[in-house]
Amino acid sequence: MLLFLKDVGIKDNQLGAFLTKNHAIFSEDLENLKIRVAYLHSKNFSKADVAQMVTKAPFLLNFSVERLDNRLGFFQKELELSVKKTRDLVVRLPRLLTGSLEPVKENMKVFNTRLFKIKERHLFLSYLGRAQYDPAKPNYISLDKLVSIPDEIFCEEIAKASVQDFDKFLKTL
């Protein structure tokens, strides 16, 4: 097992820390571990990439090929990334593959929601002729205000319109 881990790219001075975090690796079948590494190579992760990923996320090799594939697919699909960008992301942050997906899903939900809200508000301000985002010009609207304030305050202070007007506008979209 130690020879296998060294072959994967874990350096001698990193073995102790790796095994302290993931002593369960000894209960894994060596052939399954080799298959998982081969799978990562088949997805064009270099030997150095795999070494970096396993060092940063010691439990990575405990995940089945199917689970790794599902995780990679999730990030590629949900973040709308190319294969290369997905690979670059998980090389930098391999714990994305081993951690819980719930916080990621929650953040994605908040981010899409926010993007949608920004788009709606921007379109409304454009319709009113008030979409002015240059701080050097009068009637500047900061991105922070565009996103963070409730609809009532947005309508009253930023759009200078009623909530009913905003709601009517949204129905036309």
Side-chain angles (χ1 to χ4, degrees), residues 40-74:
L40 291 171
H41 289 302
S42 78
K43 294 294 181 184
N44 292 322
F45 288 97
S46 70
K47 185 173 170 94
D49 290 342
V50 173
Q52 182 178 335
M53 291 165 63
V54 170
T55 301
K56 287 183 174 179
F59 290 99
L60 184 71
L61 294 179
N62 296 56
F63 282 65
S64 69
V65 167
E66 181 181 43
R67 194 165 181 193
L68 288 171
D69 194 59
N70 287 340
R71 293 291 175 105
L72 288 169
F74 170 82

Side-chain angles (χ1 to χ4, degrees), residues 8-173:
V8 166
I10 298 176
K11 295 182 174 81
D12 288 345
N13 64 351
Q14 297 169 324
L15 277 172
F18 177 90
L19 294 171
T20 299
K21 291 176 185 165
N22 185 10
H23 53 85
I25 195 86
F26 288 111
S27 65
E28 293 286 335
D29 180 68
L30 189 58
E31 284 307 307
N32 285 339
L33 294 173
K34 289 178 181 178
I35 290 168
R36 293 167 193 165
V37 170
Y39 165 78
L40 291 171
H41 289 302
S42 78
K43 294 294 181 184
N44 292 322
F45 288 97
S46 70
K47 185 173 170 94
D49 290 342
V50 173
Q52 182 178 335
M53 291 165 63
V54 170
T55 301
K56 287 183 174 179
F59 290 99
L60 184 71
L61 294 179
N62 296 56
F63 282 65
S64 69
V65 167
E66 181 181 43
R67 194 165 181 193
L68 288 171
D69 194 59
N70 287 340
R71 293 291 175 105
L72 288 169
F74 170 82
F75 286 106
Q76 185 175 349
K77 180 181 171 217
E78 293 299 315
L79 299 177
E80 299 177 8
L81 299 174
S82 67
V83 172
K84 184 188 182 323
K85 289 196 186 252
T86 302
R87 194 169 40 249
D88 292 345
L89 174 69
V90 298
V91 167
R92 279 185 302 136
L93 302 168
R95 288 189 180 163
L96 288 174
L97 296 177
T98 60
S100 169
L101 290 180
E102 290 311 310
V104 175
K105 288 177 181 176
E106 188 64 30
N107 285 331
M108 290 293 299
K109 186 177 175 185
V110 168
F111 174 74
N112 291 337
T113 302
R114 285 210 173 134
L115 189 60
F116 187 68
K117 182 175 278 235
I118 291 170
K119 184 177 180 184
E120 286 180 339
R121 288 181 174 188
H122 166 72
L123 290 172
F124 185 57
L125 290 172
S126 294
Y127 173 76
L128 296 173
R130 296 187 182 280
Q132 204 296 89
Y133 308 111
D134 183 346
K137 294 182 180 174
N139 302 317
Y140 163 68
I141 299 167
S142 71
L143 181 61
D144 182 48
K145 280 194 175 182
L146 191 65
V147 177
S148 63
I149 59 177
D151 283 347
E152 297 77 26
I153 296 171
F154 164 76
C155 290
E156 188 178 306
E157 295 180 10
I158 307 295
K160 311 272 191 245
S162 70
V163 175
Q164 292 80 11
D165 290 340
F166 184 49
D167 289 339
K168 281 182 196 172
F169 174 79
L170 292 178
K171 289 177 184 174
T172 67
L173 296 180

